[in-house]
Amino acid sequence: MSKSQNFQWNEMTMGVCYYPEHWPQELWAQDLERMLDAGITVIRIAEFAWNKVEPQEGVFTYEFFGQFLNLCAEKGMKVIFGTPSATPPAWLTEKYPEVLNCDEAGVPYRHGGRRHYNYNSSIYRELVARIVEQLGAHYGKHPAIVGWQIDNEINCEICEFHSEADMAAFRIFLQKKYGTLDELNEAWGTTFWNQTYTDWQQVRIPGPLLNDGYNPHQHLDYYRFISESALSFCKMQADILRRYKKEDDFITTNGIFWNMDNHRMAEESLDVYTYDSYPNFAFSVDADPLHSTDLNDRHWSKNLAEVRSVCPHFGIMEQQSGANGWTTRMEAPAPRPGQLTLWAMQSVAQGADYISFFRWRTCCIGTEIYWHGILDYDNRDNRKLAEVKEFYRKFRKLDALCGSEFTAAFGFLKDYDNEWDTNVDKWHRRIASASEKAIFEASELTHTPYDYLYLCENTTADELSRYPVLIYPHPVIMTEARAALLGQYVEQGGTLILGCRSGYKQENGKCVMLPQPGLLQALTGSDVRDFTFTSPAEEPVYATWEKEMMDVTSVSNTGWMEKAGPEQIRENSSSEEKIILPRQQSEIRTEMPVFNDIFESADTDAKVLAVYSNSYYAGKVAVMEKKTGCGRTIHLGSVFSREIVKLLLGYTGVISPFDAVVEAPEGVEVVQRRKDGRSWLFVLNFQSEPQTITLKKPVWSVFEENETSGEKVLASFEVEVFEEK
């Protein structure tokens, strides 16, 4: 994110989501007092309560929230007020059915759920603007309010739109982008299957097609259109609120969802970003956590890294406190003792300075009676409330690191063109999802944290240069501007790692008639002469790596890179993939999974790091490296696996940056935050059994308030924070 965020918390702050419209007014004061006693000082309200302000069209009443806000001011509770556009009232959808979103066949979603509207209905935008204007004008200066949340979970529930309003808006979007039908036909390749358009009315949103035979270029533009629509809807509300809010109050929204440029939305409309974190999804009753390969609840660290890429100092608007579920879908066990704290500290470790639990008390009515809060239906004190209080005690001991920076050993590059291309291209989606999963898991298991970094129009080489290594797994779509930016990064001394299937499409999704990797070939020095999915009819394909990789040879069963002599075969206990050291040879063999690019050298300065060991391309080049300026580019001819990532992290010298301070088993996450010359290590045990760590030098235990070193046993789900001396 190029632009610095407009708002940051200045101390660790705890909140909760509360719905005064769900409870008798007699409970309000008692609830607020109990919250404050637990350490909760902020509540989020009103995001589903349009009728409480506008019960009939054009009839506004402010008494309900006025009374509640006054009570909050009296008690000393701060409030984040949500705009209610996620759930339009029945009077609105009945009178103006054109505001409803539709399924792919054009059938409207009816009143009674949430997020059933569309962004492009002119009457809905008018009515939303009016209710936001009324809320801002009436409550904007209220002393209890400290922030505003726009809508709720934009693009959650559904992230595709098929109403007539969207159809008309899509045509306008395309007319602005292409100007003429000739340009559109050229960009979309409509000569294929006789799709050529001769009138703008013929152009439609992708709809039901036999065998899902969508035009991929049209489909890619459709996802760009969805993003534009969502961002415009958010900005409309933010612009109104800025006219009425107090100077220090912030504007946010919650969650990161699909088909939307979250980075641009943050820059255009928001002061700070918040996320909704529910790691308990990993343990839903229809999941298989005992046999999963995605690290279960630890996987939410990947989601939080995505949030951090949008907003480095973010908040959590909805942090899991109880079991999650609806009456119609989703069933899950209650978080085990310690997991509430573990998951909240997971968010803090990844960069959150505000933690707001969902919700204060489990609702007794409606679809979410099984989306449990801190308190249960009976309203009595319970173990979850006790754990919230204990979390708050620890949380406030972290005030010194509020606003601190997350330490990343390397960067993971992304861009929205390629993200959206995975929606329309199954081949792209398969390789991208496999590599992202493997990179995250290898990072976690070797305690080598990373940042996501999205390439946007305003991204600079200076931003990239903060990372000694950047992995850009499969930039299928490549533009001249991005290729030039990557070239600057490498010239200045960076190490760029690319995977297979790089650079073979242009921005509209068309394949380029260039040797792969297209515009990146000057950096890679590689020439892709053949390519193929690995065949399920053959044994796995392996590559043999050259001798210069020997300094980082194998991966032990703890996931740490170490040297190994001959006559050894090592296998990572947490993965089916292997690194094999052949007997009496200084070599490494790794599986080259999913898809293989088969290289020849296109540059005499490029050198071979690995060759394929088997299949019809045995002996052909599998991995290449080329130096450019002060840096280098490594081109991997396959999808990334855990073992390949570990090997490359070791080869590039960034693996396990905290090894000098702490040694931890794979089941424990280790990350660091830094500020003003001070650094703190978060050590989180995601296992249900105790885990032993070794502190290799004296550190300060923030929670126990003493100096400690040597072996330490972490209880199940326990979190420790150590300040390095």
Side-chain angles (χ1 to χ4, degrees), residues 664-714:
E666 286 186 342
V668 172
E669 183 177 62
V670 181
V671 297
Q672 184 190 70
R673 290 181 64 170
R674 295 180 297 174
K675 179 182 178 182
D676 298 335
R678 301 169 68 182
S679 59
W680 296 264
L681 283 174
F682 285 74
V683 184
L684 303 94
N685 180 15
F686 280 85
Q687 308 307 306
S688 56
E689 302 85 22
Q691 300 287 307
T692 300
I693 65 171
T694 302
L695 297 165
K696 298 180 178 180
K697 57 178 63 175
V699 293
W700 181 259
S701 173
V702 176
F703 298 150
E704 297 176 5
E705 298 182 340
N706 60 24
E707 186 178 281
T708 184
S709 63
E711 284 196 355
K712 182 174 180 61
V713 177
L714 298 179

Side-chain angles (χ1 to χ4, degrees), residues 14 38-39 387-397:
M14 190 168 77
E387 192 168 338
V388 166
K389 291 180 177 180
E390 176 61 14
F391 166 75
Y392 178 71
R393 183 187 70 80
K394 294 178 177 178
F395 193 34
R396 288 310 304 267
K397 289 187 176 185

Side-chain angles (χ1 to χ4, degrees), residues 35 77 114 143 146 168 263 291 296 316 318 384 391 412 437 452 472 482 533 550 589 657 679:
M35 292 175 198
M77 181 65 72
R114 64 179 188 176
V146 295
H263 294 73
H291 303 97
N296 293 326
I316 302 295
E318 298 181 15
K384 290 179 289 183
F391 166 75
F412 186 130
K437 179 175 180 292
Y452 284 112
Y472 202 178
R482 286 189 199 128
F533 275 114
M550 288 306 96
R589 292 179 66 213
S679 59

Side-chain angles (χ1 to χ4, degrees), residues 107-246:
V107 178
Y109 296 108
R110 296 299 180 186
H111 181 80
R114 64 179 188 176
R115 307 212 55 78
H116 47 292
Y117 64 90
N118 69 74
Y119 300 124
N120 287 300
S121 163
S122 58
I123 187 62
Y124 193 58
R125 291 176 70 95
E126 177 185 325
L127 293 172
V128 168
R130 185 174 68 181
I131 187 69
V132 173
E133 186 100 29
Q134 294 293 326
L135 292 171
H138 199 82
Y139 299 128
K141 305 301 182 186
H142 198 286
I145 291 179
V146 295
W148 293 83
Q149 175 186 295
I150 294 176
D151 200 271
N152 185 77
E153 297 181 334
I154 297 172
N155 271 18
C156 182
E157 306 290 343
I158 190 165
C159 56
E160 296 194 12
F161 299 84
H162 297 274
S163 71
E164 286 300 317
D166 295 305
M167 200 78 71
F170 186 49
R171 294 184 185 116
I172 293 171
F173 168 81
L174 295 172
Q175 287 167 346
K176 289 180 179 177
K177 180 170 185 174
Y178 294 112
T180 68
L181 282 171
D182 286 344
E183 290 293 324
L184 179 141
N185 282 317
E186 174 61 27
W188 285 6
T190 56
T191 54
F192 183 81
W193 284 354
N194 199 37
Q195 297 171 52
T196 303
Y197 299 102
T198 57
D199 189 289
W200 283 105
Q201 290 302 115
Q202 298 165 1
V203 181
R204 303 181 64 83
I205 282 171
L209 287 180
L210 186 64
N211 293 324
D212 294 332
Y214 301 107
N215 180 323
H217 321 297
Q218 174 192 20
H219 219 174
L220 187 56
D221 270 342
Y222 172 58
Y223 289 115
R224 292 174 174 137
F225 160 74
I226 292 171
S227 179
E228 289 291 327
S229 300
L231 268 58
S232 171
F233 187 74
C234 179
K235 188 173 188 302
M236 176 189 75
Q237 297 192 46
D239 288 348
I240 294 169
L241 290 172
R242 292 201 187 281
R243 299 202 298 266
Y244 297 103
K245 75 176 188 70
K246 302 190 297 296

Side-chain angles (χ1 to χ4, degrees), residues 591-691:
E591 184 178 347
M592 303 292 278
V594 185
F595 199 99
N596 293 160
D597 281 347
I598 300 146
F599 301 148
E600 289 183 1
S601 177
D603 193 312
T604 55
D605 291 334
K607 68 178 180 180
V608 175
L609 293 185
V611 296
Y612 289 107
S613 304
N614 56 318
S615 194
Y616 71 87
Y617 38 97
K620 299 292 187 181
V621 180
V623 187
M624 298 194 72
E625 178 182 45
K626 179 177 180 254
K627 292 184 178 179
T628 303
C630 298
R632 58 181 168 170
T633 302
I634 298 171
H635 191 186
L636 172 72
S638 73
V639 164
F640 291 81
S641 68
R642 286 187 187 182
E643 274 57 45
I644 288 172
V645 175
K646 292 172 184 176
L647 195 63
L648 291 172
L649 293 178
Y651 179 61
T652 56
V654 296
I655 198 165
S656 308
F658 315 124
D659 189 22
V661 181
V662 59
E663 182 176 337
E666 286 186 342
V668 172
E669 183 177 62
V670 181
V671 297
Q672 184 190 70
R673 290 181 64 170
R674 295 180 297 174
K675 179 182 178 182
D676 298 335
R678 301 169 68 182
S679 59
W680 296 264
L681 283 174
F682 285 74
V683 184
L684 303 94
N685 180 15
F686 280 85
Q687 308 307 306
S688 56
E689 302 85 22
Q691 300 287 307

Side-chain angles (χ1 to χ4, degrees), residues 425 427-428 431 473-477 499-505 516-517 528 531-532 595-597 635-638:
D425 184 336
W427 286 43
H428 188 176
I431 63 170
H474 309 288
V476 167
I477 292 177
C500 66
R501 306 298 279 160
S502 293
Y504 72 91
K505 287 184 183 179
Q516 296 177 30
V528 179
F531 49 85
T532 177
F595 199 99
N596 293 160
D597 281 347
H635 191 186
L636 172 72
S638 73

